[in-house]
Amino acid sequence: MKTVFHGQGPLAASPVPTVNPAAPGKRALVIGSGFGGLGAAIRLACRGYDVTVVEKLDGPGGRAYVHRQDGFVFDAGPTIITAPWFLEELWTLCGRKLADDLTLTPMAPFYRLRFSDGSHFDYHGDTEKMYAEIERFAPGDLEGYKRFAKYADLCYRLGFEELGPVAFPKLSNMLAAAPQLIRMQGWRTIFGVVSQHIRDPKLRQVMSFHPLLIGGNPFSVTSVYALVNSLERRFGVHWAMGGTGVIVDGLVKLLESKGGRLRLNAEVRKIDIEPARGSSRPRATGVTLASGEKIAADIVVSNADSAWTYKYLVEPQHRRHWTDRRIDKGKYSMSLFVWYFGLNRRYDELPHHMLLMGPRYKELLRDIFLRHHLADDFSLYLHRPTATDPSLAPAGCDTFYVLSPVPHLDSGTDWSTMAETYRQRIAAELDRTVMPGFEKHIVTQLITTPVDFRDRLLSLKGAAFGLEPLMTQSAWFRPHNTSEDIDRLFFVGASTHPGAGVPGVLMSAQALQTVIPEPSALV
C-alpha cells in the first residue's frame, strides 16, 4: 500500500537514534499503550532495552482504542494525523517503510465548520482555496488572515521545530527557551492574537478552535498554539485507511519485531519504589499489577495520566514535589461526551469532519472550563469516517461519532442519569440541522462520558487531556519527562511535555529519548 502526504517533515530537527542490535538485559516497563507509550517503547527497544508494555484495557491504544460492534468500527479517540513523519520515523527505526503497512489519505477540505445561523466555512489546506473561502465568507479579513498565517509560521518554527522535541527537566531549559517565547508573544492567548488580525466573529472562531482538539480553552491557552494552523497548511490533515486502530496495530507489530512485548488486561496497581538512602532519591524498581503480580524493571515509563500516576500509583511518602495538594491545585482540561452510532443508510452530503458551532462561543467555554457547569447548549464535532473509508461499516451504512466538550467531573454532573438526556439533546440538534430523520436508522450505538475517562482510562477528574495546556502548565511547568521525585521514573504522552494530540505525544517520545540513559549506563 501507499502512503500519501504533502511533503516530508523536518526529520533533520530530530535525529534518529542509533539502533542497538543486542539487548544488554536492562528492562524497561511502559505503563499504557497509547501512541506515546508505544512510540517510547519502540525507541527504547531500538536502544537495546528489553521492553514490556502493560495495558489495563483488553486492546491497545489507550485513548486510541477501537470499538467494534455489529459490523461497525468506531475509533474511540484521535481521528486525524497531522505530522506523518513522526510515524515514518518509527517505521524507519525498525527497518520498514510506513507505506508497507498503512495508507494515509489527505483530507480536502480539512474540516467544515457550520454555525448556528446555518452558514458554513470549509477549512482548506490549499492556499488559493483558503483565500477564496475567506473572500466568500468574510471578504474584509483576507489580509488579516495572511498576517495571522505569517505569525503561525513563526510559532511553528520556534515552538514546534525548536522547542517541541526538547525535554524541560531544569529551569535553565525554560530560561534558554525564553527568547523564542518572547518572539512568539507566548503570554497572549490564541483568541487574542487571532482577534488582533481578524474582525469577523465567526472567522475568529474558525482560526482559534484548534486548542480544543487537545483540551485547551482558546481564551486561556498560549498563542503558541497558532502553530497548528501552520502545521496543517504545510503537511496536511490525513486519515489512516482502516481507522486509527490500524496505526496502533502497526506500532504494536513494530514493537514486537524488536523483541518487545505487550500485555493486555494488566492494570498497574502501584509503582514499586526503593526508598531513598542517604543522599540518593527513591528509585522505581518495577510495578505491581492489580492481580498482585510484580514485574521488576530497571526503568519505568508512565504513559498514563501523570496526575493519576503520581496520586494513585506512587505512595505519598515518595512524593516531595508532586504532593496531593499540588496535584489537586492543577487546572485540568475539559472532558468529553461521545456518542458512537451506526446507521443502516448513508448521509453522503456530510463531510468526513464537521464542527457544529453553537450559538455561544466564549460563554460556553467559560461554562466548561471555568464554571465547570454543564450548559443546555453545546458545540459538536461530527465525525463520519465512512465518507472516506466505507470499510468501517457494512455495505450501504454509515459510521459516526458525535463529540461534545463538557466539564470534567468537578461539575458534579450525575452522568448515570444525565447521559441519556444529553444524548437526546444532541440527537435533536443533529435532526434539526444536518441529519433529519437519522434516529430511525440507528442500528447500533454506545456512549462515553467523563466517568469513563476516570474509571476506564484513569484520568484524574475524568479530564480527557490531563492538565490544561496553559502557559503556566507547559514546558518546564508541566510534569517533566523525568520524574521530579523518583529516580528512573519517566513520563510520556498527553499529560507531560509537550502535550496532547498525536503529534504532541509522539514528540514526547522523542523528548523522552534525550533524558533516558543508555542501558549500559545503568548499574
Side-chain angles (χ1 to χ4, degrees):
M1 290 188 287
K2 172 177 160 183
T3 305
V4 183
F5 56 86
H6 299 311
Q8 185 64 38
L11 286 176
S14 55
V16 176
T18 302
V19 177
N20 298 324
K26 296 300 181 181
R27 297 159 298 182
L29 191 290
V30 179
I31 303 171
S33 64
F35 273 102
L38 291 174
I42 290 166
R43 290 176 180 277
L44 290 169
C46 289
R47 289 176 63 180
Y49 279 96
D50 179 6
V51 181
T52 299
V53 179
V54 290
E55 168 58 55
K56 172 183 181 285
L57 303 179
D58 62 357
R63 285 166 177 75
Y65 184 88
V66 177
H67 301 285
R68 293 179 172 86
Q69 188 167 296
D70 300 322
F72 293 82
V73 179
F74 301 105
D75 281 322
T79 60
I80 61 173
I81 299 297
T82 53
W85 68 87
F86 284 121
L87 296 171
E88 185 73 66
E89 183 178 349
L90 293 172
W91 260 257
T92 300
L93 276 172
C94 297
R96 293 183 60 79
K97 293 182 179 179
L98 189 64
D100 294 337
D101 297 315
L102 54 115
T103 299
L104 298 180
T105 299
M107 299 286 94
F110 294 165
Y111 325 96
R112 170 169 291 173
L113 287 87
R114 184 190 186 277
F115 295 89
S116 57
D117 62 3
S119 62
H120 75 271
F121 184 95
D122 283 343
Y123 193 110
H124 289 276
D126 180 271
T127 300
E128 294 307 316
K129 289 182 179 178
M130 190 66 154
Y131 288 172
E133 187 71 349
I134 293 171
E135 285 278 30
R136 178 191 70 81
F137 189 80
D141 275 322
L142 180 58
E143 292 306 313
Y145 167 74
K146 291 178 180 179
R147 291 192 299 271
F148 170 69
K150 289 182 67 174
Y151 170 78
D153 289 340
L154 174 70
C155 291
Y156 170 81
R157 181 168 60 83
L158 299 180
F160 189 83
E161 289 189 334
E162 296 188 14
L163 299 181
V166 178
F168 283 79
K170 300 177 181 178
L171 180 58
S172 59
N173 302 119
M174 190 70 181
L175 295 175
Q180 290 100 316
L181 294 171
I182 291 170
R183 287 189 65 190
M184 292 183 288
Q185 303 178 41
W187 59 88
R188 303 188 63 186
T189 69
I190 180 63
F191 187 83
V193 167
V194 168
S195 298
Q196 178 185 1
H197 299 292
I198 291 171
R199 292 171 295 184
D200 184 86
K202 289 185 290 186
L203 192 60
R204 286 176 174 178
Q205 295 181 44
V206 171
M207 298 303 161
S208 66
F209 80 88
H210 285 94
L212 289 165
L213 304 178
I214 55 171
N217 180 354
F219 292 89
S220 303
V221 303
T222 170
S223 59
V224 174
Y225 283 102
L227 66 85
V228 179
N229 173 281
S230 180
L231 179 69
E232 291 183 341
R233 280 187 286 110
R234 289 166 183 257
F235 304 108
V237 168
H238 308 85
W239 170 254
M241 298 300 288
T244 311
V246 172
I247 304 177
V248 173
D249 291 342
L251 292 171
V252 171
K253 290 175 183 176
L254 291 183
L255 174 64
E256 292 173 343
S257 76
K258 305 306 295 182
R261 293 167 298 280
L262 170 65
R263 293 185 53 179
L264 302 174
N265 300 301
E267 180 180 352
V268 173
R269 179 60 48 80
K270 75 168 186 173
I271 296 172
D272 298 327
I273 295 171
E274 180 183 279
R277 295 178 182 175
S279 60
S280 68
R281 297 197 305 162
R283 174 184 291 188
T285 60
V287 300
T288 299
L289 301 183
S291 65
E293 177 186 356
K294 289 183 174 289
I295 305 176
D298 296 286
I299 64 169
V300 175
V301 178
S302 180
N303 181 217
D305 177 64
S306 62
W308 186 281
T309 299
Y310 278 121
K311 190 165 187 176
Y312 296 113
L313 302 186
V314 177
E315 293 173 330
Q317 66 268 27
H318 302 306
R319 294 188 274 115
R320 298 180 61 182
H321 184 85
W322 285 106
T323 62
D324 287 356
R325 183 171 180 271
R326 179 185 286 269
I327 293 167
D328 293 340
K329 284 177 62 178
K331 297 182 184 299
Y332 291 86
S333 76
M334 82 287 200
S335 193
L336 304 173
F337 179 94
V338 193
W339 175 26
Y340 308 86
F341 55 91
L343 305 183
N344 61 8
R345 61 153 288 186
R346 290 178 60 85
Y347 278 83
D348 287 323
E349 67 276 16
L350 295 181
H352 190 132
H353 302 290
M354 174 181 271
L355 286 84
L356 288 85
M357 309 302 287
R360 301 187 302 152
Y361 188 52
K362 183 176 183 178
E363 294 78 10
L364 177 61
L365 294 173
R366 180 184 295 275
D367 281 342
I368 293 171
F369 284 91
L370 301 178
R371 297 179 60 209
H372 306 305
H373 166 68
L374 183 66
D376 292 333
D377 60 321
F378 37 68
S379 290
L380 304 172
Y381 164 47
L382 184 64
H383 180 227
R384 179 180 171 246
T386 36
T388 304
D389 191 352
S391 72
L392 301 180
C397 298
D398 255 346
T399 292
F400 285 90
Y401 84 47
V402 59
L403 176 155
S404 175
V406 295
H408 59 56
L409 290 171
D410 277 1
S411 69
T413 303
D414 181 359
W415 284 104
S416 66
T417 58
M418 178 55 70
E420 176 56 18
T421 299
Y422 202 72
R423 185 203 66 79
Q424 290 176 10
R425 289 182 194 168
I426 291 174
E429 182 67 7
L430 293 177
D431 183 90
R432 184 186 70 83
T433 54
V434 296
M435 299 179 66
F438 81 100
E439 280 194 276
K440 64 177 176 286
H441 296 285
I442 295 175
V443 294
T444 192
Q445 60 182 320
L446 63 148
I447 288 172
T448 292
T449 76
V451 175
D452 295 290
F453 281 93
R454 181 193 65 193
D455 296 347
R456 189 167 182 271
L457 295 172
L458 305 185
S459 291
L460 193 69
K461 301 177 184 285
F465 303 91
L467 287 166
E468 188 181 354
L470 304 169
M471 176 59 78
T472 54
Q473 297 185 154
S474 298
W476 181 76
F477 299 108
R478 204 165 180 81
H480 296 176
N481 303 100
T482 301
S483 172
E484 296 95 323
D485 289 309
I486 313 296
D487 192 24
R488 299 193 184 182
L489 174 60
F490 303 89
F491 287 85
V492 69
S495 53
T496 187
H497 173 73
V502 175
V505 300
L506 292 176
M507 197 180 294
S508 76
Q510 275 190 346
L512 184 70
Q513 75 183 24
T514 68
V515 294
I516 285 185
E518 292 297 327
S520 59
L522 297 177
V523 178

